[in-house]
Amino acid sequence: TGIALVLIHGGTFQMGSQDGQEFGAPPKQVTVESFWIGTTEVTVGQFRRFVAATSYRTDGETKGRPDSWRTASKDKPDDTPVVHVSWNDATAFCQWAGMRLPSQAEWEFAAGGGASHQRWAGTDREEELGQYAWYGDYSEATARPVSGKKPNRFGLYDMSGNAWEWCGGNLKGGDRPVRGGCYRSIPQFTRVDCVNGGFQSSHDEYIGFRVASDHK
């Protein structure tokens, strides 16, 4: 698949909003087992290999929508995160690759740098966020090639900003969780404790994903 993975050693951390952030979940103590996670979001080139190998049609293409991962990636380099993919599409890719989507707990633990949790993926200081994330005024209103900013302490790129990322599991009401914010997000939406969601067949230009795998 061409996907690089990092082993995240498990631990216990305080998951959720630490200071009453409007879009964060209430804090709770959570323990995660060791797991693997992709160093970057899945890219256009990686998704294209999946489609070529399986003849897979995304939810957007099946519905005949004019906007799809193909149109979104038409003028983008292969190392740009794939977007316009639904939760179903992301799950299908993961199954093909022998992996899965990260759980919300795994995603937040990895993004925040482990038990000594940071507000954003790489820093606690909003004034430093532009060094780690494509967001708001720093992105020029478009998704950017992965690994273009500094990684967090686990060597993971773009967990704040660039593209929202689908996670496994459900939110109340049946939505699927997305985490991390995107290239248009304001800082609060790129925080590691921020939770958003969408229907599992929904797809838009802001949502991509990264893979995870059990530690065996």
Side-chain angles (χ1 to χ4, degrees):
T1 63
I3 295 174
L5 301 172
V6 168
L7 176 61
I8 306 296
H9 295 284
T12 300
F13 75 112
Q14 194 79 359
M15 180 179 176
S17 177
Q18 306 302 305
D19 56 6
Q21 177 168 302
E22 181 180 358
F23 299 101
K28 60 181 178 179
Q29 186 167 287
V30 174
T31 298
V32 295
E33 301 296 327
S34 297
F35 63 99
W36 297 90
I37 193 166
T39 58
T40 72
E41 294 151 337
V42 171
T43 66
V44 167
Q46 290 161 351
F47 197 80
R48 185 178 288 117
R49 286 197 287 276
F50 156 63
V51 170
T54 63
S55 300
Y56 181 82
R57 284 174 57 81
T58 62
D59 278 331
E61 292 170 298
T62 300
K63 295 173 185 175
R65 293 285 299 273
D67 50 348
S68 73
W69 75 275
R70 295 182 189 277
T71 58
S73 62
K74 182 178 180 181
D75 299 317
K76 300 287 187 183
D78 272 2
D79 59 353
T80 305
V82 66
V83 293
H84 271 304
V85 288
S86 68
W87 188 91
N88 295 327
D89 301 331
T91 300
F93 176 96
C94 289
Q95 291 173 344
W96 170 75
M99 291 181 265
R100 58 175 173 79
L101 292 173
S103 70
Q104 286 204 76
E106 289 171 337
W107 190 96
E108 189 170 324
F109 185 80
S116 54
H117 227 39
Q118 294 180 301
R119 285 185 173 85
W120 292 275
T123 183
D124 272 318
R125 299 164 61 88
E126 185 175 330
E127 59 267 30
E128 295 178 352
L129 182 57
Q131 300 175 36
Y132 296 89
W134 295 112
Y135 77 100
D137 294 336
Y138 288 86
S139 70
E140 298 181 5
T142 186
R144 305 296 291 266
V146 299
S147 306
K149 296 282 188 174
K150 290 181 179 180
N152 76 351
R153 60 176 56 145
F154 286 149
L156 305 173
Y157 295 88
D158 300 313
M159 295 199 81
S160 288
N162 217 8
W164 286 97
E165 300 180 16
W166 290 112
C167 288
N170 292 280
L171 301 175
K172 289 182 180 179
D175 282 0
R176 300 293 188 173
V178 292
R179 307 294 297 259
C182 71
Y183 58 87
R184 286 188 178 274
S185 295
I186 60 175
Q188 75 181 101
F189 287 111
T190 66
R191 283 178 50 153
V192 302
D193 60 7
C194 181
V195 183
N196 210 331
F199 294 116
Q200 68 183 52
S201 61
S202 63
H203 55 93
D204 66 36
E205 62 181 302
Y206 308 120
I207 304 179
F209 66 102
R210 77 177 66 216
V211 300
S213 180
D214 295 341
H215 179 225
K216 299 175 182 179

